[in-house]
Amino acid sequence: MNVDNVKSQMRKGMLEYCIMLLLHKEPAYASDIIQKLKEARLIVVEGTLYPLLTRLKNDNLLSYEWVESNQGPPRKYYKLTPQGEGFLGELEVSWCELTQTVEHIRRRGHALQGESDERQVITR
């Protein structure tokens, strides 16, 4: 099994949530979203981002508006819709539950490892 493939799947699973978190703070242009994700060490290319933004828009979770630019053509700025804000709230709950579950299992795994180490010492 390739760890890079697993890591890639984990990133894809949380990408939608991360984008919505960014747009919750302020509307953003696609290049700005890519840059903010990059700063967070979550590398995303346009070929991945644009289809996701389109899907979120089609699901009425995002809207956009065209804003004039000093550096060329108008830019499309994305923002969460009220429905998107509600959906983000649901994702927040799910994310907290998921991280608590993983941490519980991690702690339990470390505790079990310590117990098995103790058993090995006792049986020697």
Side-chain angles (χ1 to χ4, degrees), residues 41-107:
R41 299 178 51 197
L42 183 61
I43 307 302
V44 176
V45 296
E46 289 180 3
T48 300
L49 181 64
Y50 282 109
L52 180 54
L53 292 173
T54 298
R55 186 174 55 76
L56 292 171
K57 184 194 169 300
N58 290 343
D59 289 343
N60 198 32
L61 301 176
L62 297 183
S63 63
Y64 64 82
E65 68 176 309
W66 291 99
V67 176
E68 291 296 325
S69 170
N70 295 337
Q71 302 171 341
R75 295 179 173 184
K76 190 186 289 188
Y77 279 79
Y78 293 89
K79 64 180 181 178
L80 292 180
T81 63
Q83 185 176 340
E85 292 284 353
F87 187 74
L88 177 59
E90 292 176 33
L91 290 178
E92 279 283 317
V93 171
S94 296
W95 179 256
C96 289
E97 290 171 351
L98 180 62
T99 57
Q100 288 172 358
T101 299
V102 170
E103 281 305 309
H104 174 79
I105 292 169
R106 284 183 71 230
R107 283 192 303 272

